[in-house]
Amino acid sequence: MEDFNNWKDLLNPEFYIKLGGFWLILFIIFAETGLFVGFFLPGDSLLFVSGIYSIDIIRETFGSTGSDFLDTFILASSVAFAAIVGNEVGYYFGRKAGSTLYKKQDTWLFKKKYLYQAHDFFEKNGALAIIMARFLPVVRTFTPIVAGIVKMDKKAFLRDNIIGAVLWSFLLIFAGHYLDKLFIDQFGIDLKKKLELIIIVIVLITTVPVILKFLFGKKEDFSKYENHKFDDEE
């Protein structure tokens, strides 16, 4: 059992892998969109690092299949399923009660500006937003809620949800697994010993565009949502 020693552990995907393994990974992926509280937890980096540890994770949970590819496939498929279910929960919450979030006061866990940003992202990118949002921290947490609020077609949402979840989980997990093998075989570098650097690089790749848009992009007028009427309010 991994011990909690520092708040920085909460940002370290290796901590969660050693703490709860397979089942905790699935819960975090589900919670990010299904419970809308996981946006502060490692998402992309968790999947990449899980790919590095995929053989160990599956062996400790179910027993190894004897195939690196199959073990990694099982992990990626399970993560994709958790991501799909999480998005569906977020979507149906949005359809039933999501509009009330626009009236909710900010807390340390919930910021209305994230909901507004997801709403704009959805409006600008249409149905592709569901797929694209998977690769954007914070945005992926609130986009399914917005899709539910605006009453996106259920079948279309499910289709794009599946595509986005499969692409996200398989790309990151398989990249982690096979890049680790490549670096060991070709350069003698064990990525498990470079996790801090890897996490920093992934965080920069996924968050820098969001930060740049926030600092230098056109300021959005979010007041337009304050008195907006949604279908379930009309």
Side-chain angles (χ1 to χ4, degrees):
M1 177 70 70
E2 188 79 354
D3 295 324
F4 177 80
N5 298 311
N6 194 299
W7 67 267
K8 292 182 181 179
D9 287 338
L10 297 177
L11 304 177
N12 181 5
E14 189 179 24
F15 169 74
Y16 297 101
I17 292 171
K18 292 184 177 179
L19 176 65
F22 179 82
W23 300 111
L24 183 56
I25 292 169
L26 297 193
F27 176 76
I28 290 174
I29 298 305
F30 165 79
E32 191 172 24
T33 52
L35 303 179
F36 358 109
V37 296
F39 58 86
F40 60 89
L41 297 172
D44 303 301
S45 57
L46 176 62
L47 296 196
F48 188 89
V49 176
S50 294
I52 295 177
Y53 283 98
S54 60
I55 307 304
D56 297 330
I57 292 170
I58 296 301
R59 182 179 64 246
E60 292 174 4
T61 307
F62 306 109
S64 177
T65 65
S67 166
D68 285 10
F69 175 84
L70 187 54
D71 285 347
T72 307
F73 181 87
I74 292 172
L75 179 61
S77 299
S78 301
V79 167
F81 179 76
I84 291 168
V85 174
N87 255 21
E88 289 296 319
V89 171
Y91 171 80
Y92 279 100
F93 177 83
R95 286 186 69 94
K96 297 298 182 182
S99 59
T100 60
L101 289 176
Y102 286 99
K103 303 181 182 69
K104 180 178 173 63
Q105 295 299 313
D106 283 354
T107 66
W108 73 279
L109 276 177
F110 173 79
K111 304 293 182 184
K112 279 194 289 188
K113 67 178 181 180
Y114 298 148
L115 189 62
Y116 298 151
Q117 290 166 353
H119 197 293
D120 278 356
F121 181 78
F122 185 86
E123 286 192 337
K124 291 176 181 177
N125 297 284
L128 279 177
I130 307 303
I131 299 173
M132 297 167 59
R134 273 294 172 196
F135 298 87
L136 298 173
V138 180
V139 173
R140 64 172 163 258
T141 299
F142 293 96
T143 296
I145 301 175
V146 170
I149 292 173
V150 301
K151 301 296 190 295
M152 178 179 177
D153 180 74
K154 295 177 183 179
K155 292 182 179 179
F157 177 83
L158 178 60
R159 177 199 63 212
D160 296 334
N161 181 19
I162 293 173
I163 293 173
V166 170
L167 286 176
W168 183 56
S169 59
F170 274 73
L171 283 175
L172 288 174
I173 290 176
F174 271 88
H177 177 71
Y178 284 105
L179 282 177
D180 181 46
K181 294 190 65 174
L182 175 66
F183 272 75
I184 290 177
D185 294 342
Q186 298 297 322
F187 309 107
I189 299 174
D190 185 354
L191 293 186
K192 292 185 180 71
K193 298 178 180 179
K194 306 289 183 180
L195 290 182
E196 288 189 5
L197 177 59
I198 291 172
I199 293 168
I200 291 173
V201 170
I202 293 176
V203 169
L204 288 175
I205 291 174
T206 57
T207 61
V208 165
V210 178
I211 294 173
L212 290 177
K213 185 179 187 305
F214 175 78
L215 293 177
F216 304 107
K218 180 181 177 181
K219 299 298 182 182
E220 300 289 349
D221 178 18
F222 293 140
S223 63
K224 61 187 176 180
Y225 297 114
E226 296 294 343
N227 299 312
H228 187 80
K229 293 288 185 180
F230 296 93
D231 291 346
D232 59 331
E233 297 180 308
E234 294 174 351

